[in-house]
Amino acid sequence: MLTMSGASVGYPGHTVAAGLNLSVRAGEVIALVAPNGQGKTTLLMALAGRPQTLQCGTVEVDGVPSGRFAEFSRRVWYASSEASLLEPQMTLRFHLETIRELWGSDAEPDDLTARTGSSELLDLRIAKMSQGMRQAATITCALATGADYLLFDEPLNGLDPLRAREMLGLFSDLAAEGRAILVSSHIFNELEDIADRLLLLTPNGLESRPTGLDWRQLFLETYGKEGGHLPGIAPPKNKPKAKHLRTHN
């Protein structure tokens, strides 16, 4: 289990959110929701053991504190929305082979890219990739680590609707295999189909809500005008909600 207890996150001189308590369990898909600038990225980085963003409190995974970063990072992986961990002049194959060596993974690059639908990207330099391609490359690298807890920051940015659905299906499959998936995204309609629960991030803490509720209404009640335009949130519908991609017990 990945846990955060009594935490405040932010940067020197500025606290983004305080009073944070969270437990992420194996096989769970969690949707992290908040307006832009509310601190989703900061929270994910703190959960990934980045000490510069954890101002107080503790983060542990399966009893391993985030201070033991080498051991911690083998279990928890943060995938940046900006593909900032990728070297622009190197190919995806280079990244996957490097991860394989450093993490002691036996995953083959060809198998990984086949699973993410990214085989054509294997020998392409990151600098030559579109935003959507870089997102796919980042997700592929996350799988290569073999980490049990995967934290995705806006992973659907730049993906066309079909590719976005394919990636969400992949996240659902990974959860079914026992990995924990925490996803921040503004595309609410898509996340509703795969998430086990919703997290609303506020300056005073995290509010956990079950799925099956009206996410649009929850967002408006929590953030009000602060939320501004609600991209990806369709107006209320009279028709039944789409069937989930996987069956929840």
Side-chain angles (χ1 to χ4, degrees):
M1 183 182 298
L2 174 62
T3 61
M4 171 177 277
S5 303
S8 293
V9 299
Y11 297 93
H14 177 62
T15 297
V16 173
L20 301 173
N21 297 285
L22 174 64
S23 295
V24 182
R25 298 171 178 82
E28 187 175 30
V29 179
I30 300 176
L32 175 63
V33 170
N36 289 335
Q38 193 77 30
K40 298 188 296 296
T41 295
T42 307
L43 172 60
L44 290 177
M45 292 178 68
L47 279 169
R50 308 295 174 82
Q52 67 270 29
T53 57
L54 183 65
Q55 296 179 327
C56 68
T58 61
V59 175
E60 294 185 352
V61 59
D62 300 332
V64 178
S66 58
R68 289 157 54 184
F69 187 70
E71 187 177 357
F72 184 94
S73 63
R74 289 186 178 276
R75 294 172 167 82
V76 184
W77 181 258
Y78 166 68
S80 167
S81 62
E82 299 176 351
S84 59
L85 298 179
L86 302 180
E87 171 54 49
Q89 298 309 316
M90 297 294 119
T91 65
L92 176 56
R93 186 186 299 276
F94 168 85
H95 287 84
L96 295 177
E97 290 178 345
T98 300
I99 291 171
R100 179 176 177 175
E101 180 178 351
L102 294 177
W103 266 258
S105 169
D106 58 0
E108 294 287 346
D110 291 295
D111 294 337
L112 291 167
T113 53
R115 188 164 195 191
T116 60
S118 307
S119 298
E120 75 280 3
L121 303 181
L122 253 181
D123 296 305
L124 186 65
R125 288 189 293 118
I126 303 300
K128 295 290 186 180
M129 294 183 185
S130 67
Q131 181 185 13
M133 290 176 178
R134 291 195 300 272
Q135 290 284 31
T138 298
I139 293 169
T140 306
C141 287
L143 265 61
T145 67
D148 292 324
Y149 299 84
L150 299 176
L151 315 179
F152 293 104
D153 192 358
E154 296 283 357
L156 308 181
N157 282 356
L159 298 180
D160 61 53
L162 177 58
R163 288 290 283 145
R165 292 294 293 176
E166 290 173 347
M167 288 303 180
L168 287 166
L170 172 63
F171 295 162
S172 186
D173 290 343
L174 290 170
E177 294 167 7
R179 296 201 198 187
I181 310 294
L182 179 54
V183 184
S184 76
S185 177
H186 63 274
I187 306 180
F188 290 25
N189 294 346
E190 304 289 358
L191 289 178
E192 283 181 300
D193 286 341
I194 68 165
D196 295 296
R197 59 185 165 117
L198 166 70
L199 285 180
L200 297 166
L201 175 62
T202 74
N204 298 317
L206 285 163
E207 299 180 14
S208 181
R209 297 287 186 271
T211 55
L213 302 177
D214 185 340
W215 287 24
R216 182 179 188 276
Q217 186 62 35
L218 283 173
F219 190 96
L220 291 172
E221 290 174 354
T222 303
Y223 303 108
K225 292 182 179 179
E226 181 183 2
H229 177 59
L230 306 181
I233 309 179
K237 300 176 181 178
N238 293 323
K239 65 181 182 180
K241 182 179 174 182
K243 184 178 179 181
H244 284 233
L245 295 180
R246 65 188 178 95
T247 301
H248 302 301
N249 296 321

